[in-house]
Amino acid sequence: MSEAAMAVVKPEMKSYIWVQTVDGSLQQVEEEVAMFCPMICQERLQTGMGSSKNYAISLPQRVNPAIFGLILDYCRFHQAPGRSNKERKTFDEKFIRMDTKKLCELTSAADSLQLKPLVDLTSRALARIIEGKTPEEIREAFHLPDDLTEEEKLEPLRNMTDDPRIRLLNRLYARKRKELKERQKLKNVVVEEERVDDRSVDDLLSFINSVDGDTKGTKTSKNKKKNRRRKDHIKDPSSINTNENFNKGLNALPPLCHNGVANNVSEASTSNHLRMQNLATVSFSSKHEFVDGGDDDDLDPAMKEELDREVEDFARRLNSDWPERMQEILSLGQERRLVPISVNGNCSTQIYTGLDRR
Amino acid sequence: MGDFWGPDLISDLPQSIIESILVRLPIRDAVRTSIFSSKWRYKWNSITKIVVDEKCVPPSNDRTINEKSLLKFVNQLLFLHQGPIHKFQITNSDLQSCPEIDQWILFLSRNDLKELVLELGEGEWFRIPSCLFNCQKLIRLELFRCELEPPLTFKGFMCLKTLILHQVLISPEAIETLISSCPLLESLSLSYFDSLALTIHAPKLRSLYLEGEFRDLCLEDTPLLVDISVAMYMTDDIAEHFEQSSSCNFTRFLGGVPNLERLAGHIYFTKYLSIGNDPGKLPVTYRNLETVELYQVSFEDMKEILVVLRLITSSPNLKELQISGSSNIPTATDAPDLDFWSKECPSDCTLKQLKVVKLTDMCGVPHEMELIKFLLANSPVLETMSIVPCMYVMESQLKMLIELVRFRRASARAEIVFVRD
């Protein structure tokens, strides 16, 4: 590659400067070619380095010898005066044909040498590679790990699945999958404390959907609960919002009364009053209860907020359905013995006997 | 996920390079990069250039569906975006004036907007909200089919370099004030204005493009102007108005542009310049004027011919000349004033640099032939003169050719190319 530059008609004294690449190897390069790189030029002019082997200019870490050779080829062509624009373009198009790995290294090296025209050229080439390819092809081309959950892969700008219920479902799926993964890792660790809310919610859900009027204790197998919950969700997505409301009520209680709470609150579920209160105060706190199971998926706050706001809106929309729902639930809870209970905490609800209080 | 392929090639490049790559992708692909891997999730978030065009949303035949999905797309895009947005462009014919666009502009005005291009569909013209005038960093503004009304307190865009208004509803005073209040304006393009009387004060202006019906054009303070292109339409009442005017349009328009390098005039431009008193020998010499294109010159109007002559003789370094005629095929009864040429030409009018001449729509009118004669006699370095006749009848073409052949040529290298379809 060097014949072009070295083919001097008269044996002139070309000046050379010494550069050292990150692996320690030294080489001499023609001064006028190397000075085409702003970083080398600056280094030379400001510190005077490069005049001898001992004072070689150290190239940035991202420039390895092979890539530096390519960069020199580029500089050698472009620094020569008298080239037409067409010639330069043709050279560029040919120059840029290399495998993706080299292209990325070249971009990185050109950037560290501040060689902007080459950075633009390589960026354009990389953009051309990315454009129009499927994500799998891109991951293969650039060796990217496929480490996003299905839920995270939901394009934030998808037009199709608007429905917040389906989005919520997907989020739950993702969370469940993550949890299952963790279960496998931490088989022996009991994580009950974290899952307090979930189980209670499960209970309530099962109650509401009258799958199993059983409000037994919370030590049932989690998997069973989870499966049921999933099934319940598929059956009746609107119950998700019911969860929220109850959740809110629940979390106002100290975790210690967990066991007792399940029973009480399930009975409390028949109360209009509690529900009305919860409805009225469905607000930001519902987000935390429902969303944070302790370790949450790392959603960007903005996206989280967006989805949560949709859930909230949806909840409010559902408010109009409550009268009907209430009737349904009330009819289920007829046999229950109602126990007055006061709930501490934000909502300070009073649960009364008597079903007709609104 | 194991990286069994080897190390990640691209995710760890500096953000400036990633931005450089993402900016070269269509916006939809740029956003799609968020699902490549966890590191790529929010890399697209800070791109500074957003171009919303026809490819942004999957197309459907129903315009309202397209519009709805576009609105949704841009809303979500802006909502998820972080950081400054320097360039925002909408070029989509499905999108029409709607309140969401107002909100977008408000959002952009708070995010260091530097370039705005708004080209909506053909419907109701979008009324630009006043928040646009708060974008003090604006460098380029390009509007199509909008209504623009600068607020009274508006002091101008201090950084604006390019202003392009195409079919924009704006009052004449407002447009003049807008132009003169942008001190750095370099490029101005106004098209499809009706009956506009325009005086331009733009000390840094270098490039001017005008198209429409102009009642009056005056370049009052444009010393740096280098490139002018005007397509002038004329309605009957404008033509009447002109007949009564006595001020010399030529000097009013071209009197203050000594650095002119390129001039192109279409439709009634030459006629416009011809109105008013004859300036005589022009006070200005256009030393840098290298390319002159005048279309639809009527060679039956002595005043228009005079304009052409004055222009040519004041441009010693003219390299390329293109003229198209718009005359009718001559009848035998025309008795032209052929002394005109010897009278009006300055004694020394050698066009020392003229290399290429292109004459189209030539009808063989006497003055056209005189022009050709003049050019051939005074261009010592002429290389090509191509003539495209406007008539198809063999006889008339022959007549023209016979005359042409007689003309003396100052340049031995001159080739005359007579183009026949």
Side-chain angles (χ1 to χ4, degrees):
Chain A
M1 266 325 265
S2 56
E3 340 62 281
M6 297 305 235
V8 210
V9 177
K10 293 184 280 211
E12 285 171 3
M13 282 300 291
K14 268 197 176 196
S15 60
Y16 288 80
I17 52 178
W18 287 90
V19 296
Q20 183 175 42
T21 44
V22 67
D23 61 346
S25 62
L26 291 158
Q27 55 176 304
Q28 264 186 318
V29 290
E30 302 100 311
E31 182 165 9
E32 57 183 8
V33 173
M35 293 288 261
F36 198 68
C37 299
M39 182 255 158
I40 295 180
C41 187
Q42 205 176 10
E43 189 74 13
R44 178 105 179 94
L45 294 175
Q46 279 180 1
T47 64
M49 302 269 279
S51 40
S52 72
K53 228 191 233 185
N54 296 331
Y55 294 102
I57 296 178
S58 310
L59 295 181
Q61 180 220 7
R62 288 184 269 159
V63 185
N64 64 52
I67 292 294
F68 188 55
L70 280 175
I71 292 184
L72 284 178
D73 290 339
Y74 180 86
C75 295
R76 200 169 288 124
F77 184 88
H78 281 278
Q79 62 86 27
R83 303 244 195 235
S84 74
N85 281 338
K86 192 154 176 239
E87 281 176 1
R88 290 182 195 267
K89 269 189 89 167
T90 323
F91 173 85
D92 283 349
E93 288 302 313
K94 275 211 331 237
F95 181 76
I96 214 63
R97 281 191 225 149
M98 59 181 78
D99 61 85
T100 315
K101 182 165 194 290
K102 256 215 220 127
L103 200 55
C104 294
E105 285 176 10
L106 186 60
T107 316
S108 181
D111 177 62
S112 61
L113 292 174
Q114 298 162 21
L115 197 51
K116 189 163 189 318
L118 185 55
V119 175
D120 285 344
L121 180 63
T122 45
S123 304
R124 241 183 300 139
L126 286 168
R128 267 185 292 193
I129 294 178
I130 293 178
E131 189 171 342
K133 285 212 172 61
T134 66
E136 292 78 31
E137 288 170 346
I138 298 284
R139 280 191 210 110
E140 197 182 309
F142 291 105
H143 304 176
L144 301 176
D146 187 3
D147 57 359
L148 289 172
T149 64
E150 287 312 313
E151 174 263 335
E152 283 170 323
K153 278 184 196 166
L154 268 185
E155 274 182 280
L157 306 185
R158 225 157 81 150
N159 296 329
M160 288 153 291
T161 326
D162 281 359
D163 195 349
R165 292 180 282 192
I166 300 187
R167 287 239 211 115
L168 258 168
L169 264 178
N170 286 330
R171 287 182 69 204
L172 287 165
Y173 285 144
R175 277 184 62 214
K176 288 302 162 218
R177 238 177 293 139
K178 251 192 173 176
E179 284 166 25
L180 280 169
K181 251 197 232 166
E182 270 142 32
R183 294 284 167 280
Q184 284 166 3
K185 286 189 210 159
L186 318 158
K187 264 183 284 192
N188 301 320
V189 180
V190 178
V191 287
E192 277 167 47
E193 299 81 41
E194 275 186 81
R195 303 293 164 213
V196 162
D197 307 338
D198 290 351
R199 264 175 283 149
S200 332
V201 166
D202 273 349
D203 279 338
L204 293 163
L205 241 161
S206 56
F207 174 76
I208 289 164
N209 293 306
S210 49
V211 168
D212 185 2
D214 180 23
T215 57
K216 57 181 181 283
T218 53
K219 302 258 195 249
T220 49
S221 115
K222 294 189 184 76
N223 281 339
K224 219 206 269 181
K225 285 274 190 252
K226 286 186 182 53
N227 288 337
R228 195 191 299 156
R229 183 176 175 184
R230 210 176 269 147
K231 258 190 264 153
D232 293 342
H233 283 196
I234 296 167
K235 243 195 274 173
D236 185 7
S238 57
S239 64
I240 292 169
N241 287 77
T242 327
N243 287 349
E244 278 193 311
N245 300 332
F246 287 105
N247 233 349
K248 185 186 181 316
L250 280 178
N251 289 324
L253 301 165
L256 287 173
C257 9
H258 166 74
N259 286 343
V261 160
N263 289 328
N264 291 336
V265 182
S266 56
E267 274 148 345
S269 71
T270 63
S271 156
N272 322 336
H273 199 78
L274 170 65
R275 214 165 298 127
M276 294 316 278
Q277 287 270 10
N278 279 343
L279 281 175
T281 52
V282 163
S283 64
F284 289 98
S285 47
S286 69
K287 257 194 273 177
H288 301 307
E289 273 84 89
F290 192 64
V291 170
D292 293 338
D295 69 313
D296 200 1
D297 34 358
D298 359 303
L299 279 180
D300 187 64
M303 209 145 87
K304 216 197 250 188
E305 211 181 89
E306 184 186 283
L307 282 168
D308 285 326
R309 218 170 278 163
E310 286 185 74
V311 167
E312 206 184 285
D313 285 343
F314 189 70
R316 257 183 243 123
R317 262 186 276 147
L318 267 192
N319 284 346
S320 53
D321 289 342
W322 274 117
E324 291 76 30
R325 189 154 293 288
M326 220 106 68
Q327 286 298 332
E328 196 185 280
I329 291 161
L330 291 177
S331 58
L332 293 170
Q334 283 287 339
E335 322 84 72
R336 304 262 153 215
R337 225 180 66 246
L338 301 167
V339 175
I341 181 171
S342 65
V343 179
N344 299 327
N346 304 347
C347 59
S348 54
T349 329
Q350 294 279 305
I351 294 156
Y352 299 97
T353 57
L355 303 167
D356 297 315
R357 218 73 74 87
R358 280 199 187 239
Chain B
M1 276 289 143
D3 10 272
F4 57 95
W5 289 306
D8 187 333
L9 292 180
I10 192 174
S11 308
D12 296 318
L13 290 176
Q15 181 63 20
S16 58
I17 297 186
I18 301 282
E19 157 105 18
S20 178
I21 298 172
L22 289 176
V23 135
R24 287 173 165 87
L25 290 170
I27 186 74
R28 201 161 178 81
D29 285 329
V31 172
R32 282 225 169 95
T33 62
S34 58
I35 59 169
F36 288 171
S37 79
S38 55
K39 282 193 187 165
W40 278 82
R41 196 115 192 266
Y42 299 108
K43 281 198 197 276
W44 71 270
N45 256 8
S46 49
I47 49 171
T48 55
K49 182 170 132 177
I50 296 178
V51 174
V52 177
D53 57 14
E54 311 284 349
K55 298 179 285 179
C56 275
V57 289
S60 84
N61 284 331
D62 186 348
R63 190 199 71 80
T64 34
I65 294 183
N66 278 344
E67 187 178 36
K68 259 174 73 179
S69 33
L70 252 179
L71 288 176
K72 202 148 176 283
F73 178 83
V74 180
N75 277 336
Q76 289 176 309
L77 181 67
L78 292 179
F79 186 55
L80 289 169
H81 188 277
Q82 274 177 318
I85 297 179
H86 290 151
K87 174 167 174 181
F88 188 78
Q89 174 174 340
I90 303 184
T91 313
N92 190 302
S93 53
D94 289 325
L95 194 58
Q96 286 177 18
S97 171
C98 42
E100 279 88 343
I101 307 182
D102 285 66
Q103 285 161 21
W104 299 346
I105 296 185
L106 179 60
F107 176 84
L108 295 164
S109 67
R110 296 172 178 160
N111 276 287
D112 295 339
L113 187 65
K114 291 196 179 145
E115 280 185 45
L116 177 66
V117 177
L118 214 55
E119 188 178 347
L120 305 172
E122 310 250 353
E124 188 192 323
W125 289 13
F126 175 68
R127 192 185 159 77
I128 300 284
S130 56
C131 53
L132 178 70
F133 298 98
N134 296 334
C135 300
Q136 277 307 310
K137 298 196 184 161
L138 210 58
I139 294 179
R140 184 192 176 94
L141 181 61
E142 207 175 313
L143 301 173
F144 290 71
R145 295 179 284 275
C146 298
E147 278 181 42
L148 199 60
E149 195 183 313
L152 292 169
T153 52
F154 180 57
K155 297 278 187 309
F157 291 116
M158 292 301 136
C159 304
L160 196 68
K161 286 199 177 154
T162 307
L163 179 62
I164 300 177
L165 301 177
H166 178 102
Q167 283 185 291
V168 170
L169 198 61
I170 179 172
S171 75
E173 304 81 35
I175 186 90
E176 276 188 23
T177 322
L178 181 59
I179 295 171
S180 52
S181 65
C182 300
L184 298 184
L185 195 63
E186 285 180 11
S187 173
L188 176 63
S189 169
L190 302 175
S191 26
Y192 295 110
F193 280 78
D194 291 340
S195 300
L196 187 61
L198 191 63
T199 305
I200 298 182
H201 288 270
K204 293 256 166 32
L205 197 65
R206 294 176 59 83
S207 161
L208 178 64
Y209 176 85
L210 298 171
E211 184 177 354
E213 293 168 11
F214 291 95
R215 187 178 290 277
D216 184 49
L217 276 178
C218 181
L219 296 179
E220 223 172 79
D221 181 15
T222 52
L224 299 182
L225 205 48
V226 150
D227 190 327
I228 297 181
S229 177
V230 179
M232 193 134 183
Y233 301 95
M234 213 176 270
T235 56
D236 289 334
D237 38 281
I238 294 187
E240 264 176 46
H241 156 86
F242 279 150
E243 267 152 45
Q244 286 133 33
S245 144
S246 63
S247 57
C248 177
N249 282 356
F250 195 113
T251 38
R252 289 188 74 216
F253 190 69
L254 293 176
V257 290
N259 294 312
L260 198 58
E261 288 174 20
R262 187 180 166 269
L263 176 66
H266 300 251
I267 315 173
Y268 284 111
F269 180 64
T270 324
K271 173 144 182 73
Y272 173 78
L273 286 184
S274 70
I275 287 162
N277 302 328
D278 175 22
K281 170 105 175 59
L282 284 180
V284 177
T285 309
Y286 303 106
R287 294 208 179 280
N288 298 335
L289 188 53
E290 294 187 359
T291 312
V292 169
E293 295 169 42
L294 293 173
Y295 299 95
Q296 287 94 31
V297 177
S298 167
F299 280 91
E300 287 158 338
D301 181 348
M302 300 304 298
K303 298 187 85 180
E304 285 193 41
I305 303 169
L306 198 54
V307 162
V308 176
L309 192 61
R310 294 264 180 259
L311 200 52
I312 296 176
T313 53
S314 309
S315 319
N317 296 316
L318 190 62
K319 288 207 172 89
E320 191 181 321
L321 179 64
Q322 260 199 56
I323 298 188
S324 84
S326 75
S327 314
N328 301 313
I329 296 181
T331 59
T333 55
D334 282 355
D337 170 21
L338 289 171
D339 295 336
F340 160 84
W341 287 90
S342 42
K343 265 193 292 177
E344 300 290 350
C345 291
S347 44
D348 170 30
C349 48
T350 319
L351 303 165
K352 300 194 179 74
Q353 306 272 352
L354 189 60
K355 289 213 171 90
V356 177
V357 173
K358 212 169 148 196
L359 303 169
T360 49
D361 292 318
M362 294 280 109
C363 295
V365 164
H367 283 293
E368 284 174 8
M369 304 312 295
E370 287 299 311
L371 176 66
I372 298 174
K373 188 165 159 194
F374 170 79
L375 289 172
L376 285 173
N378 290 297
S379 319
V381 296
L382 187 65
E383 287 174 12
T384 325
M385 175 185 280
S386 64
I387 301 178
V388 182
C390 73
M391 62 295 211
Y392 306 107
V393 179
M394 187 76 83
E395 182 61 37
S396 334
Q397 284 186 0
L398 205 55
K399 256 181 79 181
M400 201 168 152
L401 269 172
I402 293 173
E403 262 198 80
L404 259 178
V405 162
R406 287 188 70 167
F407 295 151
R408 284 184 221 276
R409 301 182 201 183
S411 162
R413 298 162 48 91
E415 268 185 29
I416 301 187
V417 181
F418 196 85
V419 180
R420 299 168 64 196
D421 280 326

